[in-house]
Amino acid sequence: MKRKHNDDLWLCLHFPQLPVEIFTRGKTEKPVVVTVKQRITHMNSIAMTLGMQVGSSMDTAYVLCSNIVCFEKDHDKELLALNFLAQWAYQFTPNVALKSPASLLLDIKSSLNLFGGIENIKTQLQKGLLHLGYSAVLGVHHTPLAAHISAKMALPDVAPLHDTPIEILDVEPRILESLQKMGMRSLHDTLALPYSGLTRRFGVFFADYLQRLQGEKPDPQKFISEQPSFLSEITFLSDVTNVESLVFPIRRLLQEFCEFLMARQLKVSTFSFTLSHRSHKPRSFSIHLAEPESDAAMFLLLTQLHLEKINDVEEIDSIRLSARQFLSTIALSGDLFHGTRFQQKDGRMTSLADAENSARLTNILNARLGQDACFGLSLANDHRPEKAWKPVQQGSLELGDAEDNHRPLFLLPQPRALSSHNGKPEFSGDLLLLQGPERIDCGWWDTPIARDYYVARNPAGALYWIFQERPRKPSQALSQELPQKEQPWFLHGVFS
């Protein structure tokens, strides 16, 4: 054969049992079959040992086994599983392409040195897929189409394809039928015919297919996006009526999720679960984290806290975990004195353990009390003390530029009127004005204020933030303004 585009090395993952394994995930002792119009198309090994055959009716299957589990073939779920496996395979090479209906193509030439050769890649692939509950046949060849055929026939690596039956070729049924009528039985017989004759008889697409198969023409593939996504689902062979029974499958999904995050060096700040049943509307809930995480134990704890609040789900036949938004992991070097507090450049004393404990506490409070129960505070672009701050989501603080003035952290919900003597404010004794006035006169567009603020101290040494109201209108100031000693005083804040 002529080969001009065979310098690459492709590995095909073919999943012949994908229609069954999307329901079983390889962990069941019950016979399971997949049907189309009440005819068996796929089955697991246990059903096969009971004598069931492809093409048999379900009536025959129930005669052989009364407790057989039957699912209707689900093309959408198969495609979702194939996309999940493609995202998982991204850890071996960024060049992963879907080959519907049940195969993946991996360009592994650039990954050979990283993983120590083709055998190591195949071993890790098989081990990882078995852990996920899927079985695959691997095929290796120089072109994508040749690798696909090698996987479907379970051939050795880069084995010759001359003896490949024409039924294995991925071409239209009418072409296969015509080739059989011509006496063609193998790929070798077909390639013996001139391309010009094949093009006239079967069209240019068939000749192009053969040339791409042999590497005489390039065969570009559409690789999956580099943007990560995760969606994994577990289907139950019998309905689950107790939400507490979901802990084990949830633990398995979270383990898969964290292995995916570790392999892709990612963290996540939110992910979602969907509880489904064929007879009910799906029930979804999301887990929100204060800081991006990849800790399976934390994920499981928060999920269990959410499950405790679910009491409106009667039956469940599948559970799905999905995530769309990810952040790259930033590696932090550990310190010799773990837990020791260090002074940062801004003067704060922090430690990695403090940050982890703070995030853990916030996550637990959010799970128990609700997402809106815990929030951060940030400066707002407003001079009025009541509107100078705003709540923000944890992890997205917008600090801005703080002004160099003295403001208390504690403000009263409403300013409290103070008594005065000879124009001097009193609160547990005479107040000594230490600083001020700081005039705040703004808010004409919604809630106008005009105040002079002071920092004051009482005889016990407590510091307060007090103010006097100022008239706003010039005419009012000229005609109705009282002497300063008669202007009322108000307490607005307390310094710690």
Side-chain angles (χ1 to χ4, degrees):
M1 300 183 199
K2 297 180 180 179
R3 291 181 177 174
K4 299 179 181 179
H5 300 275
N6 64 340
D7 293 335
D8 294 332
L9 192 64
W10 291 83
L11 186 148
C12 176
L13 296 173
H14 180 56
F15 302 93
Q17 288 292 90
L18 185 64
V20 177
E21 291 172 343
I22 59 173
F23 299 109
T24 65
R25 298 293 296 271
K27 299 183 183 296
T28 179
E29 297 180 356
K30 294 183 179 181
V32 180
V33 298
V34 175
T35 64
V36 174
K37 297 181 179 179
Q38 294 297 308
R39 292 286 178 177
I40 298 176
T41 59
H42 296 83
M43 69 190 78
N44 65 352
S45 58
I46 299 175
M48 192 176 302
T49 58
L50 295 175
M52 300 180 191
Q53 297 180 355
V54 173
S56 300
S57 66
M58 284 306 301
D59 294 335
T60 304
Y62 283 120
V63 170
L64 295 174
C65 180
S66 59
N67 65 339
I68 188 172
V69 181
C70 173
F71 292 99
E72 189 72 14
K73 187 174 175 62
D74 193 332
H75 295 282
D76 294 336
K77 187 173 288 191
E78 291 175 23
L79 183 59
L80 288 175
L82 202 61
N83 276 282
F84 162 70
L85 292 170
Q87 288 287 336
W88 172 83
Y90 191 91
Q91 62 184 293
F92 296 94
T93 172
N95 300 330
V96 181
L98 272 65
K99 182 70 173 177
S100 295
S103 299
L104 296 176
L105 294 171
L106 284 65
D107 181 3
I108 58 172
K109 180 181 178 181
S110 59
S111 303
L112 293 177
N113 291 335
L114 177 63
F115 290 93
I118 182 63
E119 292 302 324
N120 284 339
I121 294 179
K122 293 170 63 176
T123 300
Q124 294 188 40
L125 282 168
Q126 291 282 27
K127 186 182 298 184
L129 290 172
L130 182 63
H131 178 68
L132 293 174
Y134 293 94
S135 59
V137 182
L138 277 60
V140 178
H141 223 288
H142 293 295
T143 66
L145 293 176
H148 188 220
I149 291 177
S150 297
K152 292 170 68 175
M153 296 185 63
L155 297 176
D157 294 351
V158 200
L161 303 179
H162 295 86
D163 297 330
T164 301
I166 60 173
E167 293 82 2
I168 301 297
L169 301 181
D170 189 14
V171 295
E172 299 178 19
R174 65 174 184 84
I175 296 179
L176 294 178
E177 184 179 355
S178 299
L179 290 173
Q180 291 171 344
K181 290 180 179 179
M182 294 170 57
M184 303 292 107
R185 297 292 179 265
S186 65
L187 179 62
H188 178 268
D189 297 337
T190 306
L191 295 177
L193 301 175
Y195 282 143
S196 58
L198 292 173
T199 302
R200 286 196 303 270
R201 184 179 292 270
F202 303 113
V204 67
F205 295 106
F206 181 60
D208 179 75
Y209 170 81
L210 294 177
Q211 289 176 310
R212 288 186 288 116
L213 173 63
Q214 300 177 89
E216 297 178 5
K217 275 189 174 182
D219 189 10
Q221 301 294 315
K222 183 179 180 181
F223 299 124
I224 63 173
S225 172
E226 63 181 9
Q227 296 297 326
S229 65
F230 183 90
L231 191 153
S232 184
E233 184 174 5
I234 291 179
T235 302
F236 306 121
L237 301 186
S238 58
D239 292 349
V240 175
T241 57
N242 186 2
V243 176
E244 296 178 357
S245 303
L246 298 175
V247 173
F248 179 76
I250 284 176
R251 182 183 286 112
R252 180 182 175 186
L253 288 174
L254 290 174
Q255 184 179 0
E256 294 177 3
F257 186 38
C258 291
E259 290 175 355
F260 170 82
L261 295 175
M262 182 178 297
R264 299 287 294 269
Q265 298 186 13
L266 300 171
K267 288 189 176 183
V268 68
S269 58
T270 180
F271 56 91
S272 301
F273 282 97
T274 302
L275 311 179
S276 303
H277 190 272
R278 56 192 176 276
S279 303
H280 306 290
K281 185 178 179 180
R283 173 73 155 80
S284 299
F285 63 92
S286 298
I287 307 296
H288 300 276
L289 299 147
E291 297 290 342
E293 288 279 359
S294 59
D295 183 8
M298 172 58 70
F299 292 169
L300 180 61
L301 173 62
L302 299 179
T303 304
Q304 288 178 296
L305 293 176
H306 275 272
L307 285 178
E308 293 175 358
K309 298 185 290 185
I310 296 178
N311 52 16
D312 57 348
V313 176
E314 299 179 357
E315 298 173 298
I316 304 168
D317 61 14
S318 67
I319 181 171
R320 175 182 296 181
L321 170 60
S322 60
R324 297 290 182 184
Q325 299 178 353
F326 300 88
L327 296 172
S328 299
T329 298
I330 300 176
L332 297 176
S333 59
D335 55 76
L336 179 61
F337 308 100
H338 180 71
T340 305
R341 298 172 64 84
F342 294 97
Q343 185 172 10
Q344 306 299 319
K345 293 182 178 179
D346 57 3
R348 293 180 298 112
M349 298 296 294
T350 62
S351 72
L352 184 59
D354 290 341
E356 293 175 351
N357 292 334
S358 175
R360 178 183 176 85
L361 176 61
T362 304
N363 289 333
I364 294 176
L365 290 175
N366 281 334
R368 286 194 178 276
L369 306 178
Q371 181 61 24
D372 298 331
C374 298
F375 53 86
L377 296 179
S378 179
L379 295 178
N381 187 20
D382 201 311
H383 293 286
R384 292 168 292 180
E386 298 91 338
K387 298 181 179 293
W389 61 274
K390 60 182 178 180
V392 294
Q393 185 178 0
Q394 288 286 336
S396 60
L397 300 183
E398 305 169 3
L399 296 178
D401 297 326
E403 297 181 4
D404 187 16
N405 56 14
H406 295 283
R407 297 284 179 90
L409 292 179
F410 177 75
L411 292 181
L412 275 66
Q414 296 293 333
R416 175 179 174 179
L418 297 176
S419 60
S420 61
H421 179 68
N422 296 327
K424 295 182 179 181
E426 295 179 335
F427 187 67
S428 299
D430 293 338
L431 293 178
L432 177 63
L433 303 183
L434 302 178
Q435 183 177 335
E438 176 192 351
R439 179 160 297 181
I440 299 178
D441 189 346
C442 66
W444 54 266
W445 54 90
D446 54 4
T447 308
I449 67 170
R451 302 169 180 170
D452 286 341
Y453 277 88
Y454 298 83
V455 178
R457 183 176 64 196
N458 72 352
L463 296 178
Y464 301 104
W465 204 40
I466 63 176
F467 70 85
Q468 276 186 310
E469 290 280 4
R470 304 288 302 175
R472 290 187 53 81
K473 296 182 180 180
S475 59
Q476 182 184 6
L478 293 176
S479 60
Q480 302 179 10
E481 182 176 5
L482 298 174
Q484 183 174 354
K485 65 179 181 179
E486 298 182 12
Q487 292 291 338
W489 290 89
F490 293 88
L491 172 65
H492 201 182
V494 180
F495 290 91
S496 60

